[in-house]
Amino acid sequence: MWTGLLFAAEPPGYGEGRASENGTGRFYLGREIAPVMGHQGADWLERPEREREERTSEMIRLLDLKAGEVVADIGSGTGYITRQLARAVGPEGKVHAVEIQPEMLELMQMRLRREGIDNVVSTLGTIADPKLPESSLDLVVMVDVYHEFSHPFEMLGSIARALKPGGRVVFVEFKGENPWVPILPLHKMTEAQVKKEAAVHPDLEWVTTHRKLPWQHVVVFKRKRVPTI
């Protein structure tokens, strides 16, 4: 789970408050941080209707990946997205699949072996550090996971440092602007909130937002200079 670590002095933006129903009572820049879906919910990630509901193949296309690129999937879960990324970058590319639940990594590795995919590196990260090599990645993608980070400031800072200059970080989040998207409110984010939280990091610059997916927006930033935080 992306919870459980206390820092001696947290950066501005964090706060504690009254928890909403099924909430955490922990806030960042006005947003209540969502609880984490544990490995017990792994079947939901692999549900047969996911492609129809989320159009994940279209999301991968929007990432405009190139053969041979080095990318990371943060909160990779069972590897549903990881496997698509691995095929997109090809055998000369590499995917870092980052999780903090060992059970999820085990499920992912089983599926990778079954499908013969061998260009994925499994990484057991922490709630504040994805353990990625600095200045090494062409792209980092977070699919329906950033809103669950208990320490989003620290995580996004670490991700920024892992990007190559010009490398991209992509937030794929359920549309908080749309009440008809059938996801619990705490597990959605508005585009404005995503931009607000990314703006804390001067190394990141908004590039574009893709709004074509039925349930999610795809908000793209790039690293514009050497990270300072």
Side-chain angles (χ1 to χ4, degrees):
M1 297 174 63
W2 297 94
T3 56
L5 183 65
L6 296 178
F7 290 84
E10 291 186 325
Y14 288 114
E16 304 292 330
R18 184 175 180 177
S20 62
E21 184 178 2
N22 300 316
T24 62
R26 180 171 171 81
F27 292 80
Y28 180 59
L29 296 178
R31 172 183 63 88
E32 186 176 9
I33 294 170
V36 172
M37 185 188 75
H39 65 275
Q40 298 85 353
D43 287 347
W44 191 79
L45 299 175
E46 298 285 342
R47 64 193 189 280
E49 62 271 24
R50 186 171 180 181
E51 170 62 28
R52 173 176 54 80
E53 293 173 344
E54 299 183 23
R55 295 184 190 167
T56 54
S57 59
E58 173 67 8
M59 183 271 290
I60 296 294
R61 188 190 69 78
L62 291 171
L63 297 180
D64 192 28
L65 293 165
K66 305 293 190 300
E69 287 190 319
V70 181
V71 305
D73 180 13
I74 309 295
S76 54
T78 59
Y80 181 86
I81 299 298
T82 300
R83 301 192 301 271
Q84 296 184 59
L85 294 171
R87 295 186 186 100
V89 300
E92 300 302 316
K94 180 188 296 185
V95 180
H96 293 268
V98 180
E99 256 294 340
I100 64 166
Q101 300 184 73
E103 299 89 347
M104 285 291 201
L105 287 178
E106 290 176 8
L107 289 170
M108 181 191 67
Q109 289 163 353
M110 178 181 66
R111 290 179 178 276
L112 291 172
R113 289 193 296 269
R114 183 186 304 164
E115 298 187 24
I117 296 173
D118 60 5
N119 59 340
V120 174
V121 177
S122 301
T123 300
L124 186 64
T126 75
I127 62 171
D129 186 356
K131 302 294 184 180
L132 294 168
E134 291 196 12
S135 302
S136 64
L137 299 174
D138 297 292
L139 178 138
V140 173
V141 64
M142 299 174 288
V143 179
D144 308 330
V145 68
Y146 173 83
H147 62 274
E148 296 182 355
F149 291 166
S150 63
H151 291 80
F153 174 85
E154 293 83 355
M155 281 293 292
L156 195 52
S158 295
I159 288 168
R161 289 189 290 272
L163 292 171
K164 299 175 182 177
R168 297 170 293 150
V169 57
V170 180
F171 298 72
V172 182
E173 289 286 342
F174 292 112
K175 299 172 181 176
E177 302 89 343
N178 296 335
W180 50 264
V181 173
I183 298 295
L184 293 173
L186 282 184
H187 292 272
K188 302 180 186 180
M189 285 187 71
T190 65
E191 180 183 350
Q193 185 69 28
V194 171
K195 289 180 175 179
K196 179 179 180 180
E197 298 188 21
V200 174
H201 301 269
D203 325 292
L204 298 177
E205 178 181 22
W206 176 76
V207 176
T208 190
T209 300
H210 302 288
R211 304 181 182 90
K212 296 180 179 180
L213 302 183
W215 286 5
Q216 299 138 306
H217 32 222
V218 179
V219 191
V220 183
F221 298 81
K222 70 177 180 181
R223 176 182 165 181
K224 59 184 179 182
R225 58 185 171 84
V226 177
T228 57
I229 57 175

